[in-house]
Structure formats: C-alpha cells, structure tokens
Amino acid sequence: MINSMGRVADAFWRAAAYCLHPRVIAMSVLPLLLSAGLAFALGYFYWEDTVAGMRATLDSWRLIDTLLGWLDHVGASGFRSVMAPLLVLAFALPVIVVLSLLLVAMLMSSSLVALVGERRFPLLEKKQGGAWWKSLGYSLWYSILALLALLVSMPFWLIPPLVLFLPPLIWGWLGYKVFSFDALALHASVQERRQLMRQHRFPLLILGLVTGYLGAAPAAIWALGVMAVAMAPLLVLLSIWLYTLVFAFSMLWFTHYALAALQELRNARSGTTIPPVPPSVPALAEVLDPPAPPTISLPPAATAP
C-alpha cells in the first residue's frame, strides 16, 4: 500500500510537469475549439426555445410558482427572470463535462500515452491490447452510465452534504474506468490490463476520486448567481478550457501510474530489470530533455557444470 501511494504521488508530479510540454498544450487546443464551437452553435439555435420551454415548465408547477410568488413578495422578483436560464445551464453543465471527457479520450489520450511512453518508458513493449474503436465504445458506454447516475442522484443534491460527494464520486468512477483503459490500451495486452485494473483497483480509484473533485472544481465558476446568466458565453468557454486541462492532466496521471505498474509486472514475470527513466531524473527535466533509454539488466547466466 505504501509503495502504491508513493507511485501515486510520483505520477502526480510527473503528470503536472508534462502539462507544461508544448505538445500537450497544443493538443489541448483542438478539443477546446470543437467543444466550444458545438456549445455555441447549440446555444445560438436552441437557447431561447430551451429557456422558454423551461420557463413554461416551471410555471406549470404549483410549488415552484408558490416559491416564486414568495420571492416576489420579499423583494427578490428578479430571481424569477433568471431561474429558467440558470436551470438550463445547470442541466447543460454535465453534458459539457462528458463532451470534454470524450473529446480528450478520442483526440488526446493516445498521443499523451505515446508521449509518456517514448520519454519515460522507451523500452516498454507495445502489445496493442485495446483498439481505438474499443476505447471509444468503452468511453461512450461508461459516459452514458455516468449521466444516468447523475440524473438519478440529482434529487439528493438538495441535501447539502451529499452534493459535495455524489457528483465527484460519479465523475471519479467514470475517470477510473475510462482513463485506466486508455492508459493501458497501447502497451498492455488484454490479460495484463485486466490483471492490473484488478490488482491496482484501490490506487486507481483514489486517482479517479481526486480527478473527480478536480473535474468538479470548474463548476464553481457558475456560482455567480444572476451574473452567470449575463456572463454565460465567457463562462462556457472558460469552463470547457478548464475541463480540457483537468482531463488532460488526469490522463497523464493515470498513464504514469499504469505504465509504471505494467513495467513492474513484466519485470517480475521475466526476471529482467527494464527500469523506466531513473527516479533521479527530475520530472521537469524528463519532459524538456528526456534522458537516454536505460539499459537492460539481465540475470546472470548459469555456468555449466
């Protein structure tokens, strides 16, 4: 357990350093442009109709109408005009999160795994245990399950303590499933991937939980109340950018941890020692100026009698 937690911390700092690599920064632009363009296109064509439909739905609910009447009575009549847009934004936010995650998984994950592999694990054999279409189907399936879990759990968000735990737990479970698969798809075989995800389930779930909270953090920019409606175009762009960065960092974190675990598994099976980049090499130096590949230490040959 102590060894696993040390590997988690080491992978964290290496992932943070890799986020400064020019290739990672450049790769994050395309998902940002695609998701932002899609969000603004949907907002341009459907925003007014969606808000009108939400307002009509709220007016048809007697409890909501009573609440809004009480707010008018106490002098908070302005909340009536912004409640429908705020609810539309609240329902759109999980879709934006899942869209950002899928775009990172489709457009960045393989490149990020290849970057870590060539700079830190240059001698790690690539067994191609997960084709791209399997990764896409895996991500779509678990994203659908996560969205359903979010919809089912929404009534519990009204209980103050639960809203701090339920969404990050769901995002963390989704990240654990998607990022673990993508991190091992290139280098591990199917059997190795299943074995590692079983043996390292607890550390990987910790990574998923932490990244779940990181993924929920950008939602705090929507806690501006009425100002969020007025600044919605800017906040949508900012939140998509933050989600892209968070998911790119998460992918790097899972990759560093998973490939180190895969290397240890193969070393134990073969009896050889094929280390990654030596621990003495700082993470930032590894990113900017990768060292030469390590040498392979073979066990001494038995002497003939």
Side-chain angles (χ1 to χ4, degrees), residues 107-140:
L107 302 177
M108 294 183 66
S109 60
S110 58
S111 299
L112 293 176
V113 172
L115 177 66
V116 175
E118 71 185 30
R119 288 180 170 265
R120 191 181 174 202
F121 302 93
L123 299 180
L124 190 61
E125 181 184 357
K126 300 176 182 177
K127 294 189 176 182
Q128 306 285 345
W132 68 268
W133 57 269
K134 290 183 179 180
S135 175
L136 179 59
Y138 199 85
S139 301
L140 286 173

Side-chain angles (χ1 to χ4, degrees), residues 177-197:
K177 289 293 186 179
V178 173
F179 293 136
S180 297
F181 185 97
D182 289 342
L184 295 168
L186 179 62
H187 293 82
S189 64
V190 175
Q191 293 76 13
E192 287 174 332
R193 185 183 71 245
R194 292 174 178 172
Q195 180 179 351
L196 289 172
M197 291 184 68

Side-chain angles (χ1 to χ4, degrees), residues 27-183:
M27 283 188 290
S28 66
V29 174
L30 183 57
L32 172 63
L33 293 178
L34 289 177
S35 53
L38 180 59
F40 281 110
L42 292 175
Y44 179 80
F45 289 106
Y46 299 106
W47 172 258
E48 293 183 359
D49 293 338
T50 305
V51 171
M54 178 64 70
R55 185 173 289 114
T57 302
L58 294 176
D59 291 340
S60 65
W61 291 355
R62 180 169 298 180
L63 179 62
I64 298 296
D65 188 65
T66 302
L67 175 62
L68 293 177
W70 177 80
L71 290 174
D72 293 340
H73 179 71
V74 298
S77 58
F79 188 73
R80 179 186 290 271
S81 62
V82 299
M83 187 173 183
L86 283 176
L87 287 176
V88 172
L89 291 174
F91 282 108
L93 191 59
V95 180
I96 291 175
V97 175
V98 172
L99 176 63
S100 301
L101 174 61
L102 290 176
L103 286 175
V104 169
M106 289 187 296
L107 302 177
M108 294 183 66
S109 60
S110 58
S111 299
L112 293 176
V113 172
L115 177 66
V116 175
E118 71 185 30
R119 288 180 170 265
R120 191 181 174 202
F121 302 93
L123 299 180
L124 190 61
E125 181 184 357
K126 300 176 182 177
K127 294 189 176 182
Q128 306 285 345
W132 68 268
W133 57 269
K134 290 183 179 180
S135 175
L136 179 59
Y138 199 85
S139 301
L140 286 173
W141 170 244
Y142 282 104
S143 296
I144 292 173
L145 292 181
L147 283 176
L148 291 175
L150 284 171
L151 290 174
V152 172
S153 66
M154 274 185 175
F156 298 98
W157 296 8
L158 300 176
I159 305 174
L162 294 182
V163 74
L164 300 176
F165 297 101
L166 288 179
L169 283 175
I170 295 173
W171 294 132
W173 172 81
L174 176 61
Y176 155 66
K177 289 293 186 179
V178 173
F179 293 136
S180 297
F181 185 97
D182 289 342

